[in-house]
C-alpha cells in the first residue's frame, strides 16, 4: 500500500511572497525531483515533477491549488506617533478629521482553502505534495490544516493551526452514527426544514 491522503481540509492563508520564497528551495519529499509553480489569473498551481521515469509524462502529478487575493495591510505606527483619540473613536465632524490613515500596502495572499479535491489534486505523488502542503502550513500565520493519511499502512492524523502543530487523534467506529462525531452531523430524519 502506498502512502495516500484520505481526508483533508485547509483554510490556510499566507502572503504569496512567502510561498514563492519557500518554493525556491524546499526540502523535496521522496519521489519529487522538483516543483513547478505557475499562476493563471488569480490561481496559483504548485505541481510535483516526478523523479521516477516510470511515471508517464502524460500522467498528471499531484498539484496544490490556491486562490490569490489582495488584502490591504496597515502598518502599525509607533506609540509616540499614534493620533490621540480621547473618549473613543470619532466618527466625522470631530477633531482630527483631516488625519491621514496609517500607511498601508496591498499584499497578495495565497489561500489554500477547501477540501482534498479543491486543494490537493491528482493521485500520482499525492502524499508527497501533501508533505509540501504541510510545510506550507507550518509557515502560515493564519488558518488550519487537518488531514487523515495512510503512512506505511498506519492511519495518521495531522492538525496544524496558525503555523503550530496541534495534537490530533483518530477514532475508528464500526457505525458512523456512534462516537463523538455522530452528534455533530445533521439529523435528516428529524429535520424540521424538510417536509415529508
Amino acid at each position: 500500500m502506498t502512502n495516500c491522503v484520505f481526508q483533508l481540509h485547509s483554510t490556510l492563508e499566507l502572503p504569496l511572497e512567502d510561498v514563492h520564497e519557500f518554493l525556491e528551495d524546499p526540502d523535496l519529499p521522496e519521489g519529487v525531483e522538483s516543483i513547478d509553480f505557475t499562476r493563471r489569473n488569480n490561481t496559483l498551481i504548485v505541481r510535483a515533477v516526478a523523479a521516477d521515469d516510470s511515471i508517464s509524462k502524460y500522467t498528471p502529478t499531484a498539484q496544490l491549488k490556491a486562490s490569490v487575493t489582495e488584502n490591504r495591510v496597515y502598518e502599525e505606527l509607533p506609540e509616540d506617533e499614534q493620533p490621540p483619540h480621547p473618549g473613543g473613536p470619532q466618527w466625522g465632524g470631530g477633531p482630527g478629521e483631516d488625519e491621514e490613515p496609517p500607511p498601508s500596502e496591498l499584499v497578495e495572499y495565497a489561500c489554500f482553502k477547501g477540501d482534498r479535491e479543491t486543494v490537493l489534486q491528482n493521485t500520482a505523488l499525492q502524499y508527497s505534495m501533501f508533505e509540501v502542503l504541510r510545510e506550507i502550513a507550518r509557515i502560515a500565520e493564519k488558518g488550519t490544516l487537518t488531514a487523515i493519511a495512510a503512512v506505511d499502512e498506519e492511519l495518521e492524523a495531522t492538525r496544524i493551526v496558525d503555523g503550530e502543530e496541534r495534537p490530533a487523534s483518530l477514532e475508528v467506529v464500526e457505525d458512523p452514527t456512534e462516537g463523538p462525531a455522530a452528534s455533530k452531523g445533521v439529523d435528516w430524519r428529524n429535520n424540521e426544514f424538510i417536509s415529508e
Side-chain angles (χ1 to χ4, degrees):
M1 180 180 175
T2 58
N3 297 345
C4 64
V5 180
F6 291 114
Q7 198 173 35
L8 180 146
H9 184 74
S10 174
T11 60
L12 301 174
E13 267 184 50
L14 64 163
L16 186 59
E17 190 176 306
D18 292 356
V19 176
H20 282 291
E21 193 175 301
F22 168 77
L23 294 175
E24 281 176 15
D25 188 28
D27 289 332
L28 296 174
E30 191 177 325
V32 177
E33 183 180 303
S34 63
I35 292 177
D36 285 345
F37 55 96
T38 56
R39 181 169 172 184
R40 294 186 200 135
N41 297 324
N42 289 330
T43 303
L44 177 70
I45 297 170
V46 182
R47 189 180 66 84
V49 176
D52 186 353
D53 291 339
S54 69
I55 295 179
S56 166
K57 65 179 180 178
Y58 301 109
T59 302
T61 54
Q63 63 185 23
L64 302 174
K65 199 171 177 185
S67 60
V68 178
T69 61
E70 281 187 342
N71 291 338
R72 184 160 295 282
V73 177
Y74 292 92
E75 292 179 28
E76 281 199 31
L77 295 172
E79 265 191 50
D80 59 335
E81 293 180 34
Q82 294 278 345
H85 290 289
Q90 301 290 322
W91 301 104
E97 188 176 310
D98 296 335
E99 288 176 14
E100 286 186 31
S104 66
E105 63 175 325
L106 280 175
V107 177
E108 288 187 308
Y109 278 79
C111 304
F112 296 89
K113 292 188 175 187
D115 295 321
R116 191 185 72 187
E117 292 76 19
T118 309
V119 177
L120 178 61
Q121 301 171 336
N122 305 332
T123 53
L125 299 173
Q126 179 196 66
Y127 185 77
S128 297
M129 286 308 282
F130 168 68
E131 290 180 293
V132 172
L133 180 62
R134 203 166 48 193
E135 290 306 311
I136 290 172
R138 289 185 178 123
I139 61 169
E141 293 177 7
K142 184 178 177 187
T144 302
L145 173 67
T146 55
I148 299 171
V151 182
D152 300 327
E153 300 186 10
E154 295 283 328
L155 288 178
E156 185 179 273
T158 298
R159 185 167 166 244
I160 301 172
V161 180
D162 299 337
E164 292 181 21
E165 291 263 358
R166 300 280 173 93
S169 62
L170 295 170
E171 180 183 358
V172 179
V173 293
E174 195 170 312
D175 182 350
T177 60
E178 297 174 5
S183 61
K184 294 179 183 162
V186 175
D187 182 2
W188 295 107
R189 288 188 178 85
N190 297 318
N191 192 320
E192 63 182 284
F193 299 108
I194 298 175
S195 60
E196 294 191 27

